[in-house]
Amino acid sequence: PHTKQALMPLQSSAPEDVFAQIFCETFGPESAQYLVPQYPFQDIYGKGRFIDYALRTNWEQFAFEIDSVFYHAPDSIGLEKWEDDLLRQNSLVQNRWRVFRWTDRQLAQERERVQEELLLFLQGTRFVVRDDYLPLQRATLVELHEHQQEALANLAQLRQDGVTIALLTHAQGMGKTRVAVEDARRVNQRTLFLAHTRELVEQADTAFRRHWPEASVRVFDRTQNIRGATVVVGTIQGIAGNLRLFRPDDFGYMVIDEAHHATAETYQRVIGYFRTRFLLGLTATPFRADNASVLQLFQNMAHRMSLEDAIKGGHLVPIRCVRVTTNIDMRDVRFNGVKYNSRDLEVRLIVRERDDLIVKTYMDHTPGKRAVAFCVNVRHAESLAEAFRARGVPAQAVSGGLASQERKARLLDYHAGHTLVLCACDLLNEGWDSPETEVLLMARPTLSRVVYLQQIGRGTRKSPGKEALIVFDFVDNATMVNRSISLHSLLGKKEYRPGELVLAPDDAIREEQERIAAGEKPEAILSLNLWVKDLEVVDILDWRKEAEEMLSAARLSIELGVDRTTISNWVTSGKVEPDLIVPLGNNTYYYFRPERASTGSISDCRRSRLRRAKRLS
């Protein structure tokens, strides 16, 4: 989709906002959604703390800290506070965070240097959603018997049964690579084969060319064009160091040779990065020296099931959704590409009428059920909890500002059923599961899919008698480009019927739709007045998601072998029209559909530039 609608201008010069701008300039504004501001964690003594900006993947976690001379220098804050800051950083390091710090002066006066350092620190990192709130993929061990056809039949049956990771084991020389090649050929997905030595890579290259002759096989060495190759063979070191050149869904089938080496950090990066449909490990040694199973290591390193797969497979509960429209105007709320301005949110959203609407929604449709309301900040959590209590609903606020023992006591009250509603401020985004939670009240708008998914994950665990998780999305009035994430935009669901199953096993959705079409009153948790036959069409356009599917000007310049200025000149002169324009602050970002890199006006401009360069030479 092509849009020239401008984003809200950046009107704040707070150091955290400046860092967000620099991050957007460095990696593109679509990448900024993976930054989580004010990320909660506990230090080694259990005290609640916050990280200025956190970025987590399945194998790494980065903490970005912005230091002000006034607030962090020992002479300004005193020795006790300074030592407390040291404890805070030591706790992050102990919990395996990679910590990077800049001063507000550096952000204001040395932007290019900060950009260069960000590129260095995050080199090779592809931003993905941390999905540790989802179930592990199913895995099993397959012994390679004397007849290779038996192993192939076993692998095919395992895939039919929903197994997504397998470890093929037998002694050396028994044909494991041959089985892997044949199985990949039968699955017929784009395949990545990884080994830890060049010799093994060359052997695999020969095997694929011999036994899958119709496939296009390429060895990855950065100099060879692998676009369009059916099979890519490479060393684990080479792929791990160049993940930025690949998309997570580039391969449907992955083979790890000599899989007992997979404890190395490079394997963790690669296995956790690619979202393959099937992962096959080859080894003669399924157990390490410490008796840890290589299969279990694969499960822990690989991406988890998707939310959709986990629910459709019955591992998590189905999700129902109700969209509650408010009259709160969010159109001029400032944001920096990462988050809304905290002060603006507080002024706009912490109002008695909106809180009353949230309480009324709960009372009208899910009274007596345990619910979590995600709030704007600590003050909002406390005021919303008070609004619930005023209506006779046992409710408590929880946040990182509570003492550790008080926080634990309030969570225990909720688990025991003494408290029905928890009003949470970030604390429960992750690291806390509650199978008894049946209702989520999304009272805090967020621009981050990461944050929204983590919040959804708090209520998807199964529990006896729990038919579904009910999500109430409170939809405030916003523009197309500063619209917060909702369940329908997250899942790409354009059609909405209040209270209907949004995500569930196919047979459950089909049965419910048939009952509604027949006019039967569905046996739903929600009150019947929410059920209507007419569908509402939801505008789910998300420029961040659209941008991820396109080439940024920076990436297009790499594809074409030109500099970024050339791309910008083509656009400003009218020679090339972008498919998506994202103005953010003082910068404008251009995006292009991938296929245009070799066709149309872009290709014409590149050929013209090459001819001109040839004449000049």
Side-chain angles (χ1 to χ4, degrees):
H2 175 68
T3 175
K4 293 187 178 181
Q5 182 171 350
L7 293 174
M8 298 298 297
L10 296 179
Q11 301 172 22
S12 174
S13 59
E16 289 78 7
D17 284 346
V18 176
F19 176 79
Q21 294 175 40
I22 293 174
F23 193 93
C24 291
E25 292 167 6
T26 307
F27 300 107
E30 76 282 2
S31 299
Q33 64 181 306
Y34 298 105
L35 281 178
V36 180
Q38 289 297 292
Y39 183 88
F41 75 101
Q42 293 186 24
D43 66 22
I44 58 176
Y45 296 109
K47 181 180 178 181
R49 309 276 190 152
F50 291 92
I51 300 170
D52 288 343
Y53 284 105
L55 176 65
R56 303 183 72 195
T57 69
N58 284 340
W59 60 92
E60 289 178 298
Q61 46 189 26
F62 303 90
F64 303 114
E65 294 288 284
I66 313 305
D67 297 337
S68 165
V69 174
F70 179 77
Y71 288 110
H72 293 275
D75 292 341
S76 300
I77 63 175
L79 181 60
E80 183 177 351
K81 177 64 171 66
W82 185 58
E83 289 178 343
D84 185 67
D85 283 347
L86 296 181
L87 168 64
R88 179 176 175 280
Q89 176 155 330
N90 289 342
S91 297
L92 285 170
V93 174
Q94 170 65 19
N95 290 321
R96 299 186 178 181
W97 286 87
R98 296 180 62 185
V99 183
F100 301 107
R101 306 176 70 170
W102 292 273
T103 66
D104 49 2
R105 186 202 64 80
Q106 288 177 297
L107 297 180
Q109 301 180 19
E110 301 178 5
R111 294 174 72 102
E112 291 187 2
R113 178 178 174 182
V114 175
Q115 282 185 312
E116 292 172 358
E117 291 174 353
L118 275 170
L119 288 169
L120 174 64
F121 298 152
L122 272 64
Q123 185 176 16
T125 299
R126 172 78 77 163
F127 307 128
V128 297
V129 175
R130 175 72 172 256
D131 50 12
D132 50 359
Y133 56 92
L134 291 170
L136 289 169
Q137 293 196 45
R138 295 183 60 190
T140 192
L141 186 69
V142 179
E143 186 177 356
L144 179 57
H145 295 286
E146 189 171 336
H147 301 289
Q148 295 174 338
Q149 290 299 328
E150 184 175 349
L152 291 167
N154 286 342
L155 289 170
Q157 183 60 52
L158 290 171
R159 280 191 289 271
Q160 289 186 13
D161 295 339
V163 173
T164 53
I165 299 175
L167 188 66
L168 190 62
T169 177
H170 208 286
Q172 295 287 347
M174 295 300 293
K176 295 188 296 296
T177 302
R178 174 72 178 87
V179 171
V181 172
E182 179 60 23
D183 193 54
R185 187 186 69 80
R186 295 184 182 187
V187 172
N188 198 30
Q189 293 282 327
R190 194 175 188 220
T191 299
L192 176 64
F193 187 101
L194 297 173
H196 70 291
T197 67
R198 190 69 184 181
E199 291 74 18
L200 289 173
V201 167
E202 292 172 354
Q203 292 174 23
D205 179 40
T206 300
F208 274 104
R209 293 178 186 277
R210 177 180 301 165
H211 301 297
W212 193 357
E214 62 271 29
S216 172
V217 184
R218 298 284 188 274
V219 175
F220 177 77
D221 60 3
R222 290 204 65 184
T223 62
Q224 187 171 0
N225 184 7
I226 60 172
R227 181 180 295 176
T230 310
V231 178
V232 176
V233 183
T235 63
I236 185 71
Q237 300 88 347
I239 298 294
N242 293 279
L243 285 175
R244 65 187 182 280
L245 301 179
F246 299 92
R247 296 183 61 84
D249 59 355
D250 270 349
F251 302 98
Y253 190 106
M254 180 160 58
V255 184
I256 306 292
D257 199 11
E258 302 296 335
H260 50 280
H261 293 289
T263 56
E265 187 269 342
T266 48
Y267 284 86
Q268 296 179 37
R269 288 172 60 87
V270 173
I271 294 174
Y273 175 74
F274 287 111
R275 307 189 73 82
T276 54
R277 298 183 184 179
F278 194 74
L279 168 63
L280 180 64
L282 310 178
T283 184
T285 312
F287 293 94
R288 302 186 307 169
D290 59 3
N291 288 326
S293 167
V294 175
L295 187 64
Q296 185 60 38
L297 289 172
F298 271 21
Q299 275 191 296
N300 291 333
M301 286 188 289
H303 68 88
R304 306 293 181 102
M305 293 182 185
S306 69
L307 182 65
E308 184 171 1
D309 288 342
I311 291 177
K312 286 183 177 294
H315 303 284
L316 300 176
V317 296
I319 300 179
R320 297 184 182 277
C321 182
V322 177
R323 292 169 62 85
V324 183
T325 302
T326 81
N327 62 357
I328 300 295
D329 191 351
M330 292 273 292
R331 287 175 296 182
D332 60 352
V333 170
R334 292 169 291 175
F335 70 101
N336 61 15
V338 178
K339 65 183 180 71
Y340 296 110
N341 179 276
S342 300
R343 177 59 181 163
D344 288 0
L345 276 190
E346 186 171 17
V347 170
R348 292 300 173 87
L349 298 185
I350 306 180
V351 292
R352 181 177 57 81
E353 291 80 7
R354 189 175 187 270
D355 285 354
D356 287 346
L357 175 63
I358 295 167
V359 175
K360 184 178 186 301
T361 298
Y362 173 84
M363 296 292 292
D364 286 351
H365 306 303
T366 57
K369 297 188 180 298
R370 270 177 278 188
V372 174
F374 291 103
C375 303
V376 173
N377 56 21
V378 173
R379 188 167 78 85
H380 186 215
E382 293 172 346
S383 67
L384 185 58
E386 177 59 34
F388 273 105
R389 290 194 294 268
R391 293 288 301 272
V393 180
Q396 295 193 75
V398 287
S399 72
L402 289 174
S404 178
Q405 291 304 314
E406 177 64 20
R407 184 171 62 245
K408 290 179 181 178
R410 294 189 183 190
L411 294 178
L412 286 174
D413 281 346
Y414 180 76
H415 284 300
H418 304 313
T419 296
L420 289 181
V421 178
L422 280 180
C423 298
C425 172
D426 290 326
L427 179 69
L428 304 182
N429 282 354
E430 60 177 285
W432 179 80
D433 290 318
S434 175
E436 61 269 23
T437 297
E438 293 188 63
V439 179
L440 296 181
L441 301 158
M442 313 304 279
R444 169 213 172 176
T446 178
L447 296 169
S448 170
R449 278 187 288 165
V450 178
V451 171
Y452 192 95
L453 276 168
Q454 293 286 356
Q455 291 174 343
I456 289 292
R458 306 285 67 81
T460 52
R461 300 299 184 195
K462 302 178 79 171
S463 182
K466 183 176 177 180
E467 182 262 356
L469 170 68
I470 303 170
V471 176
F472 289 98
D473 268 328
F474 292 89
V475 183
D476 303 300
N477 185 21
T479 67
M480 180 181 67
V481 289
N482 79 332
R483 183 184 302 142
S484 63
I485 302 295
S486 69
L487 187 62
H488 281 73
S489 67
L490 180 79
L491 301 175
K493 303 285 186 180
K494 294 183 178 180
E495 294 182 336
Y496 164 66
R497 181 183 282 115
E500 190 178 48
L501 289 171
V502 177
L503 203 53
D506 292 336
D507 56 349
I509 292 179
R510 183 168 54 252
E511 178 185 353
E512 183 165 277
Q513 290 177 343
E514 289 173 353
R515 286 162 48 199
I516 295 172
E520 179 185 349
K521 293 181 179 180
E523 299 173 359
I525 295 176
L526 301 176
S527 57
L528 297 180
N529 65 323
L530 282 174
W531 289 85
V532 294
K533 291 186 178 181
D534 294 335
L535 287 174
E536 174 188 338
V537 178
V538 180
D539 182 2
I540 60 172
L541 177 63
D542 182 355
W543 68 266
R544 303 167 194 83
K545 189 172 182 179
E546 297 291 341
E548 285 184 333
E549 302 297 323
M550 299 183 186
L551 296 176
S552 65
R555 192 170 176 188
L556 180 64
S557 68
I558 295 174
E559 293 272 340
L560 301 181
V562 300
D563 55 52
R564 294 192 199 185
T565 304
T566 298
I567 304 294
S568 297
N569 290 339
W570 289 349
V571 172
T572 54
S573 65
K575 296 178 180 178
V576 172
E577 185 175 2
D579 297 293
L580 181 65
I581 301 175
V582 180
L584 185 60
N586 297 322
N587 295 322
T588 301
Y589 300 88
Y590 303 118
Y591 293 88
F592 308 85
R593 293 192 306 274
E595 60 270 20
R596 292 186 61 196
S598 56
T599 60
S601 58
I602 294 178
S603 179
D604 293 341
C605 285
R606 181 172 182 268
R607 283 196 297 268
S608 175
R609 186 175 186 277
L610 289 174
R611 287 195 297 268
R612 184 165 57 254
K614 187 176 181 181
R615 287 196 303 269
L616 291 174
S617 63

